[in-house]
Amino acid sequence: MLLKAFYAYALVGGLLAAPLGTGWRHFLQGCPRRAYLLYTASLHLVFLLLLPFTFPHAMYADSYMSRNFVLQWAFGLTSLTRIIALLTGVFQMWSKRKKLLELGEAFLRHSRKCKKLEDHSAGYTHLWRRIRGLLRQQFLVLNLSVLVGTILLMHIDTNQHFSAILMIVVHVLQFIYVLVMAASIYVILLLLHWQEERVNLALQGLSTSLHHEERNALIMSGTKASKSLKILRNLFQLHAENQRLIRESFKISDLPIAMLLLKMFVTNVNLVYHAVQFANDSIETTFFTKFIGQLVVMSHYWSAVLLMNIVDDVARRNGIKKGQILRQFSDLELVQRDFQVELELFSDHLRCHPVTYKVCGLFVFNKQTSLVYFFFVLVQVLVLVQFDLKNKVEERYQKN
């Protein structure tokens, strides 16, 4: 149900290369695909036509930020990075549509293979509950972000003329589009992480089965040895396929992810600086708007943490976990030489082909980078606060 909801969001937002058919086994062809492409083109054209209304004069002249240059600068930069993120999503949709279709078809085939690994054991049940819990979190934070962000934009204190109302509508539409784009990337990476966890559970099950065989038999039967080798080769192939899909996903979505991270960084600075202004009563507000503002901050950081965690999972922690499972096979003595060779190939592939995500090829994105990123936000906010205090002191001095 949750996956269907995210699929509907992406479909309505024009973020899919083509709609999926019944049963989600393939992409639709013919008239349905052409109709969806026409709808997507019309939607993107509307976004482009509305871009000039993002920065109206009333926002700077008649709102709460009219006397604060730093707030105006933060608002303008946040809007600009949101537009850049939106444009990269539109560009990716049209420039890499064929690659997206190929990647989608490959993922659908791969997920069907991985689904065959599942049985009714507690491990797979727990895995599904964990994946469903993460989907629920993303669904909740997406809808909460849309709701509170829309309410906060509607409460901006400007003159209620046409340009101000149109500005609010444009910002809301852009805001929703970027949020759905970020949620779509998150869901794709989560599904890839799910397939990798399925392989890990099957590998763990094979290790448990072979260790049980060694404890209860003096020699491994030929049937058992042949079956174990076949299972290991299948898991090796599924692992390699999933790694390739992850790399392709990062490669195709590199620019949109980078622009989303840039947008998140600027939004962080803007939100934290606004929070400081609200706290010292530099901005007049009510209890309701302050409460909504707190929800906006909470939903933003919640979404950022979810995205950073899933990128770290597929790019780093999955490999560490699989390496720990493979080490459990090292003490087996009854397995055949072919099994040991296959296990060595699996280990060498895991060691020599780690999945890493470099943002536009510049730096590796992981948990450590995320912490540096958050600390850098705090430093930038401190600089802005000092700049703001300096301006206020100069204004008072000039008045006196």
Side-chain angles (χ1 to χ4, degrees):
M1 187 65 184
L2 290 171
L3 286 175
K4 289 181 179 179
F6 284 113
Y7 170 71
Y9 288 157
L11 190 70
V12 174
L15 292 167
L16 297 178
L20 290 169
T22 306
W24 291 10
R25 301 182 66 86
H26 58 85
F27 289 101
L28 293 178
Q29 302 282 347
C31 290
R33 178 179 291 189
R34 287 192 291 270
Y36 181 71
L37 288 177
L38 180 62
Y39 162 77
T40 303
S42 303
L43 180 66
H44 291 167
L45 181 61
V46 170
F47 277 124
L48 293 176
L49 292 175
L50 291 176
L51 286 181
F53 300 97
T54 309
F55 304 97
H57 175 73
M59 191 64 218
Y60 301 103
D62 304 325
S63 70
Y64 67 92
M65 63 180 71
S66 59
R67 297 182 180 179
N68 192 318
F69 170 76
V70 177
L71 285 176
Q72 294 177 17
W73 173 82
F75 176 82
L77 193 58
T78 303
S79 300
L80 181 62
T81 53
R82 189 195 312 121
I83 290 172
I84 293 173
L86 184 150
L87 292 177
T88 54
V90 173
F91 174 77
Q92 180 202 33
M93 167 63 203
W94 293 106
S95 65
K96 299 183 179 180
R97 180 172 163 271
K98 185 176 179 181
K99 290 183 178 180
L100 287 170
L101 285 171
E102 293 174 352
L103 182 64
E105 293 282 2
F107 173 74
L108 292 174
R109 292 192 298 269
H110 176 69
S111 61
R112 288 195 293 269
K113 293 178 185 177
C114 291
K115 190 175 182 180
K116 295 177 181 179
L117 300 175
E118 290 192 351
D119 51 32
H120 299 290
S121 62
Y124 289 104
T125 303
H126 176 72
L127 173 61
W128 164 238
R129 288 175 180 171
R130 184 156 57 89
I131 297 297
R132 185 172 57 185
L134 291 172
L135 285 172
R136 282 175 177 170
Q137 286 189 53
Q138 183 60 47
F139 182 78
L140 176 61
V141 74
L142 172 61
N143 289 278
L144 179 64
S145 299
V146 170
L147 178 62
V148 296
T150 302
I151 293 174
L152 196 63
L153 283 170
M154 291 174 64
H155 279 76
I156 291 178
D157 186 20
T158 59
N159 294 331
Q160 298 301 311
H161 46 73
F162 177 75
S163 63
I165 296 174
L166 184 59
M167 179 274 296
I168 293 174
V169 172
V170 171
H171 276 260
V172 169
L173 291 175
Q174 293 174 354
F175 182 65
I176 293 174
Y177 184 89
V178 172
L179 284 177
V180 173
M181 184 172 71
S184 301
I185 292 174
Y186 175 84
V187 172
I188 291 171
L189 295 178
L190 180 62
L191 292 176
L192 290 168
H193 173 62
W194 185 14
Q195 312 314 315
E196 194 70 16
E197 286 292 292
R198 281 171 163 171
V199 174
N200 287 342
L201 284 175
L203 200 60
Q204 182 68 61
L206 177 61
S207 172
T208 303
S209 174
L210 291 175
H211 279 90
H212 180 268
E213 184 75 14
E214 286 214 347
R215 286 194 301 268
N216 295 276
L218 296 177
I219 188 172
M220 186 176 295
S221 65
T223 304
K224 180 71 174 179
S226 177
K227 183 179 179 181
S228 299
L229 179 60
K230 183 179 179 180
I231 292 173
L232 183 62
R233 283 175 175 168
N234 181 48
L235 295 178
F236 185 12
Q237 181 182 2
L238 291 176
H239 164 76
E241 286 181 3
N242 203 64
Q243 298 293 86
R244 183 182 62 81
L245 290 173
I246 291 173
R247 290 191 184 92
E248 284 296 317
S249 299
F250 280 138
K251 183 179 178 180
I252 292 175
S253 305
D254 186 24
L255 188 59
I257 293 177
M259 293 303 103
L260 284 173
L261 292 176
L262 176 62
K263 181 257 178 188
M264 285 168 54
F265 170 74
V266 176
T267 304
N268 279 341
V269 175
N270 192 14
L271 288 177
V272 176
Y273 183 71
H274 269 79
V276 172
Q277 295 295 308
F278 281 125
N280 60 21
D281 296 325
S282 298
I283 301 175
E284 294 183 4
T285 183
T286 63
F287 173 79
F288 177 73
T289 53
K290 186 175 289 187
F291 175 70
I292 294 298
Q294 291 172 349
L295 289 179
V296 168
V297 174
M298 184 191 73
S299 62
H300 173 78
Y301 281 102
W302 190 359
S303 176
V305 169
L306 286 175
L307 182 60
M308 291 173 181
N309 279 339
I310 196 61
V311 171
D312 191 62
D313 282 338
V314 298
R316 187 180 65 88
R317 285 194 284 189
N318 275 340
I320 295 174
K321 186 174 182 179
K322 186 169 271 85
Q324 292 172 347
I325 296 174
L326 288 175
R327 278 195 291 269
Q328 297 176 10
F329 290 88
S330 60
D331 61 344
L332 293 174
E333 298 178 354
L334 299 183
V335 294
Q336 295 180 349
R337 176 60 183 167
D338 290 343
F339 187 93
Q340 293 177 346
V341 170
E342 192 70 22
L343 192 63
E344 289 176 2
L345 290 173
F346 200 156
S347 300
D348 290 342
H349 182 276
L350 183 66
R351 183 173 56 254
C352 298
H353 300 86
V355 175
T356 56
Y357 173 54
K358 285 190 175 183
V359 181
C360 292
L362 299 176
F363 60 91
V364 177
F365 186 79
N366 51 32
K367 276 286 183 66
Q368 291 76 14
T369 310
S370 304
L371 292 175
V372 173
Y373 158 80
F374 281 115
F375 281 122
F376 189 67
V377 169
L378 295 178
V379 171
Q380 295 303 310
V381 171
L382 289 175
V383 172
L384 290 177
V385 170
Q386 290 175 354
F387 180 75
D388 187 46
L389 290 174
K390 179 185 176 184
N391 286 343
K392 288 181 179 179
V393 170
E394 290 178 352
E395 288 178 2
R396 290 178 182 178
Y397 178 77
Q398 291 175 357
K399 288 180 180 180
N400 295 332

